[in-house]
């Protein structure tokens, strides 16, 4: 788990999050995205909106990676944790 979090850090991790967010956005809202882009080009606060869009895309990318790239915990590790919890409960 710590290795995955380290992998997502830095510029490479941000690039992966942005690409995953863009892919999710493209699949789910292609039509509305085009209308939004047209509206963005007409606005005077486009820089602020672009920064907000970048944050949104990174959040989407994080969600996509968490949804599809999450590795379930190992079965033996779960059993070992249960055994340690039982042992701790018995000692208390």
């Amino acid at each position: 788990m710590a290795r995955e979090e380290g992998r997502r850090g830095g510029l490479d991790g941000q690039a992966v999050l942005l690409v995953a967010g863009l892919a999710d956005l493209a699949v789910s809202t292609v039509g509305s995205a085009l209308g939004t882009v047209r509206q963005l080009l007409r606005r005077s606060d486009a820089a602020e909106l672009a920064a907000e869009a970048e944050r949104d895309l990174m959040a989407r990318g994080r969600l996509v990676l968490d949804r599809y790239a999450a590795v379930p915990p190992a079965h033996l590790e779960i059993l070992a944790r249960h055994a340690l919890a039982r042992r701790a409960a018995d000692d208390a």
Side-chain angles (χ1 to χ4, degrees):
M1 185 76 169
R3 190 173 76 201
E4 286 182 38
E5 290 175 13
R7 182 178 62 185
R8 291 187 204 161
L11 292 178
D12 292 338
Q14 288 180 352
V16 169
L17 291 175
L18 283 173
V19 168
L22 281 171
D24 186 53
L25 181 62
V27 168
S28 64
T29 58
V30 170
S32 64
L34 291 175
T36 303
V37 169
R38 274 188 235 118
Q39 290 176 354
L40 286 175
L41 292 175
R42 293 184 211 134
R43 296 188 63 145
S44 63
D45 58 346
E48 293 173 19
L49 290 173
E52 185 177 334
E54 181 183 4
R55 285 190 300 273
D56 182 52
L57 289 175
M58 289 186 66
R60 280 178 173 263
R62 199 170 283 118
L63 289 172
V64 168
L65 289 181
D66 288 345
R67 187 180 330 140
Y68 296 112
V71 178
H75 180 69
L76 289 177
E77 176 142 357
I78 293 172
L79 291 176
R81 288 180 186 172
H82 284 289
L84 284 172
R86 281 190 205 141
R87 205 175 280 161
D90 290 342
D91 290 342

